[in-house]
Amino acid sequence: MKISGKIYSIVALMGFVAVIIGGIAGYTVLEYNKRLAALDNAAERALQGERLNRYVTAVVMESRGIYSSATTEQAKPFADGIMQFLDRMDTVLAAWRPMVDAEGLPDFDRVVARAGEFRAFRTETARLGREVSPALANEQGNNTDNRTNRRNYQAEIDAVVQRDQQQLADIKAGIEAFQSRMIILLASTTLLGLLLGTGAAAYIGTVQLSRPIRRLTGTMQTLAEGDLKAEVPFADRKDEVGEMAQAVLVFKQNGIKVNELNAQEAALQAKSADLQSSIAEVVSAAVQGNFGRRITKDYANDDLNRFAASVNELLTSVDAGVAEVRRVVASLADGDLTQSMTGYFQGAFEELQTNVNAAMSSLRAAMGEVRTTSDTINGNTTELRNAADDLSRRTEQQAASLEETSAALEEITATVRTSTSRAQEASQMVDEAKRSTEESNRVVGEAVVAMGRIEQASGEIGKIISLIDEIAFQTNLLALNAGVEAARAGEAGRGFAVVAQEVRELAQRSATAAKDIKGLISKSTEEVATGVRLVTDTGEALTTIQSHVVKINEHVRSIAVAAAEQSTGLHEINIAVNQMDQVTQRNAAMVEETTAATHRLSEESDNLARLISRFRLEGGSSHPREANDRMQATASPARALGQRLAGAFGARAS
């Protein structure tokens, strides 16, 4: 059997144990749910019985409320409570009946019958208390027969509840016993399954897998150490261990073949090592600059001999190219630009030959142009130096004049800026005065309106005072009539006469106070009219002041705008003059630097002419002074200088 089959057998065994455990667990869950449903039913029945007992007690308490009431109106809430609790009792009985089992149904029917008697009796008690009188309800309900009926009713309910509670306790005990049995069964089954699986896994893992693999591992280590005489076990097995043994056997046979090949390779490696040594000597000599060394040995191997011949050919090619380059560079070091690389080259040396010859040609052309240009520069440097000296003196004079002009403009600009600032401040002050005048005018207008409202309110208050006066008069008249009626009543109306006298005196005091307030309101109205007139005069005066302030504001604003425009113009002129001053100062500095550079250029031109005279070009060379004379005869100094510089830089770029 394959290892996978053995492992699958262990998995099948563990799966079978898991199925058994799952079946036991499923049965346990179903049975436990069934017992829990019975437990819930018994608990609900016991709860319904306790709820019915509470409703009976509540009906009794409501009946006592009727008994203690004095009227039907007082008894009515208690009668309504009795009917509500009786309805709840019927609801509880209707919900309780489907939960009762067949054995407890006779007892439950007796409870229902007793409930009907209880309802009929208590309904009559509620009707008497609500419609007739609480006393008749007391006679009807508060007696021994009624109490006996209620006790029997509750006793029957308690009997049914006690039976439900006993069933509830039995179900709880059964659930606990069932739970213990199922736990023991599941634990035993799980332990047995683990023992069987562990035993099977240990046997297959140790006997069938671990030991053979360890023996094969030892054999492989022995073969890896070089002992190819070791025996390979388990090669006849039909599982994966036998396949591993067959593979190890193949490794052993390959090792034997490799040893045979190693012996053949050792001789070839010795010749290769000798060739590498010879190549190292030749390359070392080439690194030191000696390209004359060659490999001369015969290695009795076509491949090695061809490789040695290739190395010799490489050295010959490099030696020829380097020698030609060395010759051209040596002539360049002596100042001879007429030499170039000759001979036939390939590859990189062909490219090197092309580049060296092109570089020599470009260098010859550039040196010719540089010689001509240096002669021209040497001839025109003196004129450039004189012109630079004159320009420097004129630039210094112009810079001094611009500096004085800039200082004067700065003083004028500062003065105009101060005037502008003062004019703007005056304009702002006039604006503030204008806003203050407008605000004062608005406040005066509001004050006039407020005075009008006060005057109107004074008139309204006068009307109210007149009304109060009339009310006081009517109150006095009524008090007088009340005193007359009290006098007619004699001794019985004496107290009322005293009250009427007090009301009369109060009405007289109210009339007097109303007259005083009316006089004060009249004086206030006159003073308010005077205030309105004065405030109106103040508003007219402020309006006149506002018109004058507006005119002043317009004049000051025109002055401020003109001053600002002057300040802006002078500021721009000042900036322009300062910029001209700065530019002139920089130009003066640049002219000085140009003058110094011109002097240095003259010196460097002489040095350049002296250095170029060392090189020998094709077609000979002319004297610098003769070239200078020819240039001066054909063109102006400045134009000749520009043309020669352009030609020189163009030649260098090519």
Side-chain angles (χ1 to χ4, degrees), residues 367 371 604-615:
M367 291 305 296
R371 174 176 294 177
E604 294 297 332
S605 178
D606 294 335
N607 293 331
L608 180 61
R610 179 176 54 81
L611 293 174
I612 291 175
S613 63
R614 297 178 54 227
F615 292 95

Side-chain angles (χ1 to χ4, degrees), residues 259-585:
N259 289 336
E260 294 176 355
L261 293 175
N262 288 337
Q264 299 176 2
E265 188 178 1
L268 183 60
Q269 287 181 352
K271 295 179 181 179
S272 297
D274 190 8
L275 176 60
Q276 291 177 1
S277 177
S278 300
I279 292 173
E281 293 177 358
V282 172
V283 171
S284 177
V287 170
Q288 295 176 1
N290 182 10
F291 294 96
R293 295 286 298 274
R294 298 292 184 269
I295 300 175
T296 58
K297 293 183 179 179
D298 183 8
Y299 295 99
N301 187 287
D302 295 338
D303 295 332
L304 297 180
N305 289 333
R306 280 196 301 271
F307 188 73
S310 298
V311 172
N312 292 334
E313 186 177 357
L314 173 63
L315 290 173
T316 302
S317 177
V318 172
D319 188 16
V322 171
E324 191 64 20
V325 172
R326 189 168 59 246
R327 181 183 64 81
V328 174
V329 172
S331 63
L332 178 61
D334 294 335
D336 186 5
L337 301 180
T338 61
Q339 300 296 324
S340 61
M341 288 184 65
T342 59
Y344 175 73
F345 297 98
Q346 294 179 352
F349 285 103
E350 182 180 4
E351 184 179 357
L352 178 63
Q353 180 185 17
T354 303
N355 293 336
V356 170
N357 292 338
M360 294 299 293
S361 299
S362 299
L363 184 59
R364 284 193 295 268
M367 291 305 296
E369 293 292 335
V370 169
R371 174 176 294 177
T372 304
T373 303
S374 64
D375 294 338
T376 303
I377 292 173
N378 191 19
N380 296 325
T381 301
T382 302
E383 295 180 4
L384 182 61
R385 183 171 60 249
N386 295 331
D389 292 338
D390 294 338
L391 180 60
S392 176
R393 286 192 297 271
R394 289 193 297 271
T395 303
E396 291 176 358
Q397 293 174 359
Q398 184 181 3
S401 300
L402 281 175
E403 185 175 2
E404 294 174 358
T405 304
S406 176
L409 280 175
E410 287 180 356
E411 294 178 358
I412 296 172
T413 303
T415 303
V416 173
R417 187 181 297 111
T418 303
S419 300
T420 303
S421 176
R422 296 293 183 270
Q424 290 177 352
E425 292 177 358
S427 178
Q428 293 176 357
M429 293 173 66
V430 171
D431 289 338
E432 293 293 333
K434 180 182 177 182
R435 285 194 292 270
S436 300
T437 304
E438 292 175 353
E439 185 66 21
S440 300
N441 194 6
R442 185 183 61 80
V443 172
V444 168
E446 293 178 356
V448 171
V449 175
M451 288 295 181
R453 290 196 296 269
I454 293 171
E455 184 177 4
Q456 184 181 359
S458 298
E460 298 293 332
I461 293 172
K463 294 178 181 179
I464 294 171
I465 296 301
S466 299
L467 180 61
I468 293 172
D469 193 7
E470 293 177 1
I471 292 171
F473 175 75
Q474 294 294 332
T475 304
N476 191 9
L477 182 60
L478 291 174
L480 181 60
N481 293 331
V484 172
E485 295 296 331
R488 290 178 181 178
E491 187 66 27
R494 181 177 298 175
F496 188 72
V498 173
V499 174
Q501 181 65 28
E502 292 294 332
V503 171
R504 185 178 180 185
E505 291 178 358
L506 179 61
Q508 290 176 355
R509 285 197 300 272
S510 298
T512 304
K515 290 179 181 179
D516 295 338
I517 294 172
K518 189 173 184 180
L520 293 175
I521 291 298
S522 299
K523 292 180 181 180
S524 176
T525 302
E526 294 175 358
E527 295 296 333
V528 167
T530 304
V532 169
R533 181 176 56 80
L534 294 176
V535 170
T536 303
D537 295 339
T538 304
E540 292 176 356
L542 286 174
T543 303
T544 304
I545 294 171
Q546 181 182 2
S547 62
H548 292 302
V549 169
V550 169
K551 292 180 180 179
I552 294 171
N553 185 23
E554 292 177 355
H555 293 305
V556 173
R557 189 181 299 277
S558 299
I559 294 171
V561 171
E565 292 177 354
Q566 292 177 3
S567 176
T568 302
L570 287 174
H571 180 66
E572 294 176 355
I573 294 171
N574 189 18
I575 292 174
V577 171
N578 288 331
Q579 291 178 352
M580 291 174 62
D581 186 16
Q582 294 175 2
V583 171
T584 303
Q585 295 293 339

